[in-house]
Amino acid sequence: MIVDIHGRPLERETLKEQQTSRLSQLHSEYADHPSNGLTPPRLAQILRAAEQGDIRAQCELFQDMEEKDAHLLAEIGKRRRALTTIEWQVAPPRNPTPTEKAEAEWLNEMLQDLGDFEDLLFDMLDAIGKGFSCIELDWQLVGREWMPAAFNYRESSWFQLDPQTRTELRLRDGTPEGEALNPFGWIVHQHKAKSGYVARGGLYRVLAWPYLFKNYAVRDLAEFLEVYGLPLRLGKYPPGASAQEKATLLRAVVSIGHNAAGIIPEGMAIDFKEAAKGTHEPFDWMVQWAEKSMSKAILGGTLTSQADGKSATHALGAVHNEVRHDLLRSDAKQVATSLRQYLLYPLLVLNKGGERDPRRLPRFQFDLVEAEDLGVYAEALPKLVTAGMQIPASWAHDKLRIPLPNGKEPILGKLVGAEQGAAAARVAALKTQQPADPLDDLAEQLAGDWQPVAALAEPVQQLLARCKTLEEFRDRLPEIIPQLDVDDLAELIAQGMFAANLAGRSGAA
């Protein structure tokens, strides 16, 4: 029997059909947009209902907040997209066996071939704001291997909480309990943006109030700008005027402010008072307060988002950027844990079989190590080595993010003594001499790089040393022909002919 990471048994028939395909009512739903006409009492009611297990209105409100607030969308987009640009790999557990190493390599190849894997990471991080994100897996059988054909993001409003514990996410199927999620059918990512159970774990619960107050400020600013600079119009009607005459006067008073023209019945008058005064600063202050609160909650600071020109400095910006890096590390670890449980584990169980110890699963790792300052280390390491400190080469390579050579590729070497002086002399000569014929430079370069000749000559010289006469040497020459590798020599000749052709064309031009 195959069980998932939580011990729930798998029915293989569920792999052939997505669970939501049987819940057609969810696909035909339209959002209620609770942000329309949102007030403080209505917002408190939505948040309270979510705490009691009904999270639909809260999830729809959070979706409206992203669509209607450009600043909120930009800030949460920075945090979500940051992780999609980081290199990643699947690593075996500690002290791995050969089988565990092979499985980690197989998972690496499998995930690298998935074209929409970056989209999966982005959709998983929707949980930062809403508290959770559910991606439905569409499995397909390719040859003899099960692999996900697509990662389908499902709206958070499709889910509810179980009425007993309010911690388990279930699909809304019209029943009070909801439908439990199928094993191996979902990637469920619950993000700890703040402590609390699922309904209160999303960051948008904190941002809902700044969003609401900002909307009030923007609305009031629009009303202020509509009448700013326009004089107060006061209509006067005589005693005994009918309701129709009063309505006619009111329409004239309203339209004359914008149209600069209007008509009123005889005997009535319009008195123009002083133009409307005021300032936009209180509204701007409220909008800035709301946006700064959002930036602090999402990115941990404000100087990486917008600067006021007064308190913004490069040093403070660097500090705030370090806070963003801490958030990135936290997001990466939480996403890696969910991928390990809901993607790596199913892939191994379905394709490699066998019982799995969750403690020995491969690990999904993001490369979050930043390279150190090369200049600082280049100056400090030689001094420390000269002082007698023993520094492992692997440690220096890890710090500077410089990969170790694989043994076959050329490496940079250190010039010492006469070589360093000769190199300096060549550089000085090149700076002072006149431009030379490119063919002469090419001949000198090829002559100085004629390394394969030495490799070919070594077996010949060894045979010559063993022979006593030239006739014996001549007769035994065919014996060493299989030992001669002419590939490097042929490659060098081909490069020389190609470079000579280009140099000749360049000189002719």
Side-chain angles (χ1 to χ4, degrees):
M1 182 177 61
I2 297 179
V3 296
D4 68 356
I5 194 73
H6 302 295
R8 298 178 301 173
L10 167 69
E11 297 180 4
R12 285 190 174 271
E13 293 299 323
T14 61
L15 298 177
K16 302 177 181 179
E17 182 185 24
Q18 296 188 61
Q19 185 175 1
T20 57
S21 62
R22 296 181 286 101
L23 301 174
S24 58
Q25 75 277 7
L26 294 177
H27 294 272
S28 59
E29 281 185 354
Y30 294 94
D32 291 334
H33 296 288
S35 63
N36 295 337
L38 186 64
T39 61
R42 173 59 179 155
L43 176 57
Q45 180 184 359
I46 292 174
L47 300 180
R48 191 177 300 110
E51 296 174 13
Q52 298 171 0
D54 183 8
I55 60 176
R56 179 180 177 182
Q58 175 175 280
C59 293
E60 291 180 347
L61 171 63
F62 292 165
Q63 193 73 13
D64 286 351
M65 289 167 55
E66 287 187 344
E67 292 180 354
K68 293 184 176 181
D69 195 312
H71 182 81
L72 174 62
L73 179 64
E75 297 296 82
I76 198 67
K78 291 177 186 177
R79 184 163 172 182
R80 292 174 63 181
R81 288 185 174 85
L83 196 61
T84 63
T85 62
I86 304 299
E87 296 292 332
W88 53 266
Q89 67 171 347
V90 179
R94 295 186 183 92
N95 303 319
T97 64
T99 301
E100 291 173 335
K101 290 182 179 180
E103 290 177 347
E105 293 176 0
W106 176 80
L107 286 171
N108 257 320
E109 295 179 0
M110 174 74 75
L111 298 185
Q112 292 288 350
D113 293 338
L114 299 177
D116 54 351
F117 192 76
E118 284 72 19
D119 295 336
L120 168 64
L121 297 178
F122 183 79
D123 290 337
M124 290 180 65
L125 288 173
D126 189 48
I128 295 175
K130 300 173 184 175
F132 68 93
S133 178
C134 295
I135 293 89
E136 191 169 13
L137 296 173
D138 183 9
W139 290 100
Q140 66 175 354
L141 193 60
V142 181
R144 301 182 62 182
E145 292 182 341
W146 284 100
M147 63 180 298
F151 303 102
N152 298 310
Y153 171 80
R154 300 308 183 193
E155 292 290 343
S156 55
S157 58
W158 287 16
F159 300 87
Q160 67 180 63
L161 300 177
D162 67 296
Q164 288 77 25
T165 64
R166 291 173 296 161
T167 58
E168 180 186 347
L169 287 167
R170 296 180 178 179
L171 283 169
R172 290 192 296 106
D173 62 349
T175 63
E177 293 78 15
E179 183 175 328
L181 303 183
N182 287 340
F184 291 6
W186 297 85
I187 297 178
V188 181
H189 179 53
Q190 297 185 20
H191 202 88
K192 283 288 186 181
K194 57 184 289 290
S195 297
Y197 51 88
V198 181
R200 303 187 67 176
L203 200 59
Y204 286 165
R205 280 184 66 97
V206 178
L207 303 181
W209 294 105
Y211 166 81
L212 176 62
F213 298 145
K214 178 183 175 181
N215 275 352
Y216 276 120
V218 172
R219 185 195 63 187
D220 294 342
L221 177 61
E223 294 179 354
F224 168 74
L225 294 177
E226 187 177 3
V227 300
Y228 180 73
L230 297 178
L232 175 65
R233 290 92 64 196
L234 182 63
K236 298 180 180 180
Y237 57 87
S242 64
Q244 182 178 1
E245 291 174 334
K246 294 178 182 178
T248 301
L249 177 61
L250 179 60
R251 287 194 300 271
V253 170
V254 172
S255 63
I256 200 171
H258 296 281
N259 301 329
I263 58 174
I264 58 175
E266 186 178 358
M268 296 184 179
I270 297 179
D271 188 10
F272 291 90
K273 301 296 183 179
E274 186 178 4
K277 293 183 178 180
T279 176
H280 61 87
E281 293 181 357
F283 310 107
D284 284 347
W285 185 91
M286 177 62 76
V287 171
Q288 292 176 13
W289 169 85
E291 292 186 346
K292 288 181 179 180
S293 298
M294 293 177 182
S295 297
K296 291 175 183 178
I298 298 173
L299 300 178
T302 60
L303 296 186
T304 56
S305 305
Q306 56 189 2
D308 56 11
K310 300 176 182 178
S311 59
T313 64
H314 176 74
L316 288 176
V319 172
H320 286 206
N321 196 53
E322 286 297 322
V323 175
R324 285 185 59 182
H325 187 68
D326 293 341
L327 293 175
L328 176 63
R329 294 175 64 90
S330 174
D331 295 344
K333 290 181 179 180
Q334 295 188 54
V335 169
T337 300
S338 296
L339 287 174
R340 187 186 190 192
Q341 295 177 351
Y342 296 105
L343 184 59
L344 301 187
Y345 180 84
L347 284 172
L348 283 179
V349 171
L350 292 176
N351 295 292
K352 302 300 181 180
E355 296 184 1
R356 298 284 168 173
D357 183 356
R359 297 172 298 178
R360 299 297 299 173
L361 287 178
R363 294 168 293 159
F364 193 94
Q365 293 180 338
F366 289 95
D367 186 5
L368 298 172
V369 179
E370 294 184 342
E372 301 289 348
D373 190 340
L374 285 174
V376 173
Y377 276 74
E379 182 179 354
L381 287 179
K383 297 179 181 179
L384 295 174
V385 172
T386 303
M389 182 174 290
Q390 298 180 358
I391 302 176
S394 59
W395 176 85
H397 280 269
D398 289 340
K399 282 292 184 181
L400 301 176
R401 310 299 295 162
I402 299 175
L404 289 168
N406 56 18
K408 299 180 180 180
E409 56 188 349
I411 60 175
L412 299 177
K414 178 181 178 182
L415 297 177
V416 295
E419 292 182 358
Q420 188 172 5
R426 287 197 298 269
V427 172
L430 289 175
K431 291 181 179 180
T432 58
Q433 69 182 6
Q434 296 296 325
D437 188 346
L439 290 177
D440 294 339
D441 294 341
L442 176 63
E444 181 180 356
Q445 179 180 356
L446 293 177
D449 197 22
W450 208 248
Q451 302 290 342
V453 175
L456 288 172
E458 185 176 353
V460 178
Q461 292 176 355
Q462 292 177 358
L463 177 62
L464 181 61
R466 293 195 299 268
C467 295
K468 298 180 179 180
T469 63
L470 291 178
E471 288 76 15
E472 181 184 0
F473 175 73
R474 178 195 62 195
D475 296 336
R476 295 183 60 183
L477 272 178
E479 298 177 5
I480 63 172
I481 291 178
Q483 305 177 21
L484 303 180
D485 186 4
V486 298
D487 292 341
D488 292 340
L489 180 61
E491 177 68 17
L492 184 60
I493 293 175
Q495 292 178 3
M497 294 178 64
F498 178 75
N501 190 0
L502 290 182
R505 290 179 180 273
S506 174

